[in-house]
Amino acid sequence: MTIFKRTSLVLLAGTACMALSACDGADSVASPGEGVIVVPGTPTPSPTPTPTPTPTAGTPATSCPTGTTDVGIIGNYRSCRLPTLITSALSLPKVAGVAYEINGRVDVGVDIGGAGTQPGGIATTLTIAAGSLVYANTTNADNDYMVVNRGSKLIAEGTETQPIIFTAQANLTGGVTDESQGLWGGIILAGRAPISNCNNTVPGGNVACENVVEGTSTALYGGATPTDSSGSVRYVQIRYSGTVISPNNELQGLTLGGTGSGTTLDHIQVHNSSDDGIEIFGGRSNLRYLALTGSDDDGLDTDVGWQGFVQFVLAIQKPNNTQTDNYSTEIDSNGSEDALPRQAYTLANFTFIETSTATNAAIRLRGGADATFVNGIVSNPNSACLNIIAGADAGGKTTIRPAELTTLQDKGPPVFNSVVFSCLTPYATTTVNGITVTTDEQQAIFRAGSNNTESAAVGSAVTGTFLPAGVSSTTTAFNATSLNPSGSAFLVNTSYVGAVNGSTDTWYRGWTCNSNRASFGTTSSACTALPTN
């Protein structure tokens, strides 16, 4: 993604009316571009069509839980539609034979504003029980997504044996393959933590500094509450999401807009997003145990003043990307070296697997963002491991920044410790506005760290897709706990580099799904299938 999109409002093209493919009932649902929410009425009953054969076995439930609307049978499930606007606490229990439907844009709460005093704002909570299945009616994929607005919370806590699955309608009717992607819009958490790309004339990080979440026209994020909570997302799969509405205007698998450090985000798989797996716009959220499989754009994309920590990340990219500007991780400033708050990305224990010929590097780091990488493995047989570029309006400055910028919270050049590069070439160069961070400059940055391997033989750093091998197995790990700020214990110490400590490490098993991107073991079902209901 380019950095030019970060400072502008986004217009979402879409239709205002969608049909439910399984039941023929129609709702009048506003498109995100209209900025109006119309609560759907009761659909007109019509004969239930013969279900398409589905890869799961089970019997549809006879009724829907309180707070949802029965809209008929889809595959082997009773389809229970969520309200378009949720204004009071709603709990979705795990019920055999029930699938909860997102039809159009579903809003959890009404934006309370950065200060929490927005007139008409409503803070509420949507709770989804472990093992539940939530799917998007994909009549119009651009319009099917969930927004948890500022002040409200999503409590979606699955377990290792009963993950919560968010997916597309075609997954319930046997209509997906390992190449399916972009069938719905995904999940957006909008919070009140600081951001740098204000859409008004206030300083970054100000309580009134806010912007519109990319891919929507009305969902606002940002504020001055670093510890803000948008809920808890744990042991969750998000499948086949991430629609590209127009160039530089996309919905991801999981979008975090200004989410604060009070938000719990761990054990999350985003599978086959047609855009990014996870994109973070500002805020202070921390994440761990991520499996980002088959992203067509970036696995993990971070922007506009996010300051946070991530540990244990498997990013296994799509082999044949349709998007040419894609990375395992892309780290952006928002068009200015001097914008505050500056982004500060700390990543520990990561394994990046690139197999596409459509990208120029596994890691892209733009000027204006501070980053620390420790205990990592990067495998890319077709191109480079690292691409550092200057900011789009860097004014002659490169990522090797001059001393005067230290007054602007600049931490200096990126830091790499205990990182193994196993790529066709270690570095790629990109010229922006006549500025190039040269191969020699990037090499100096990487070599300044400790226990780094610059040029392991291609294919030698991993085995079985993502398990450490060769020099990755013998590299001395960096003590990640030394990077924790005072009072924090988020990052933990490990004795290994990469996201996984060999075949005996099982954090990714059971709650994930298997595909041609990666096999996570016999306890994980196929991504094209669903657990027996």
Side-chain angles (χ1 to χ4, degrees), residues 429-513:
T429 60
T430 301
T431 300
V432 177
N433 289 351
I435 304 168
T436 304
V437 183
T438 68
T439 294
D440 287 345
E441 289 175 324
Q442 294 183 67
Q443 183 181 71
I445 290 171
F446 189 73
R447 289 184 176 181
S450 61
N451 298 314
N452 292 326
T453 299
E454 187 173 26
S455 300
V458 172
S460 68
V462 293
T463 185
T465 304
F466 56 82
L467 298 178
V471 68
S472 299
S473 302
T474 59
T475 297
T476 300
F478 182 86
N479 183 1
T481 63
S482 65
L483 303 174
N484 283 323
S486 177
S488 170
F490 184 81
L491 297 176
V492 299
N493 192 26
T494 66
S495 61
Y496 58 92
V497 304
V500 177
N501 184 20
S503 59
T504 60
D505 191 352
T506 60
W507 68 257
Y508 54 87
R509 294 181 184 172
W511 59 273
T512 51
C513 62

Side-chain angles (χ1 to χ4, degrees), residues 66-330:
T66 301
T68 64
T69 302
D70 186 347
V71 289
I73 305 297
I74 182 75
N76 290 328
Y77 298 88
R78 174 71 55 185
S79 178
C80 301
R81 181 173 294 170
L82 301 184
T84 301
L85 175 60
I86 298 171
T87 56
S88 59
L90 176 62
S91 293
L92 305 180
K94 168 69 170 77
V95 178
V98 162
Y100 296 104
E101 185 198 69
I102 295 171
N103 186 50
R105 170 171 162 170
V106 170
D107 279 270
V108 179
V110 178
D111 179 37
I112 67 171
T117 57
Q118 180 70 28
I122 300 173
T124 193
T125 300
L126 172 63
T127 301
I128 304 176
S132 295
L133 174 63
V134 183
Y135 78 96
N137 175 340
T138 49
T139 302
N140 186 340
D142 292 354
N143 288 343
D144 297 317
Y145 59 100
M146 178 182 290
V147 178
V148 180
N149 288 289
R150 287 187 293 186
S152 293
K153 296 180 180 181
L154 172 64
I155 307 298
E157 296 192 347
T159 67
E160 184 175 349
T161 57
Q162 292 195 85
I164 296 169
I165 298 175
F166 292 87
T167 190
Q169 177 176 303
N171 202 173
L172 278 66
T173 58
V176 293
T177 71
D178 276 345
E179 301 305 316
S180 297
Q181 62 178 35
L183 300 181
W184 64 293
I187 300 169
I188 297 167
L189 302 184
R192 300 184 298 133
I195 64 173
S196 64
N197 62 329
C198 320
N199 63 6
N200 45 28
T201 54
V202 298
N206 186 279
V207 68
C209 178
E210 62 186 14
N211 215 317
V212 176
V213 177
E214 179 181 292
T216 78
S217 62
T218 58
L220 291 165
Y221 68 102
T225 308
T227 58
D228 189 44
S229 175
S230 295
S232 179
V233 180
R234 305 184 68 239
Y235 292 101
V236 163
Q237 296 176 24
I238 303 173
R239 304 179 181 179
Y240 310 116
S241 56
T243 59
V244 179
I245 298 160
S246 61
N248 300 328
N249 180 20
E250 304 97 356
L251 292 170
Q252 330 303 324
L254 176 63
T255 301
L256 304 175
T259 51
S261 61
T263 309
T264 298
L265 300 157
D266 67 69
H267 292 88
I268 299 170
Q269 180 183 17
V270 181
H271 177 66
N272 276 25
S273 169
S274 69
D275 198 63
D276 301 330
I278 298 175
E279 184 158 13
I280 306 175
F281 294 93
R284 298 291 184 271
S285 51
N286 304 313
L287 306 88
R288 57 185 159 200
Y289 298 115
L290 307 179
L292 309 175
T293 54
S295 300
D296 199 29
D297 195 13
D298 308 320
L300 178 61
D301 191 348
T302 64
D303 312 83
V304 300
W306 171 65
Q307 296 180 0
F309 299 83
V310 184
Q311 189 168 25
F312 306 113
V313 182
L314 279 169
I316 304 169
Q317 294 290 95
K318 184 180 179 187
N320 301 304
N321 301 65
T322 60
Q323 298 201 43
T324 57
D325 190 29
N326 61 83
Y327 306 90
S328 294
T329 189
E330 182 176 24

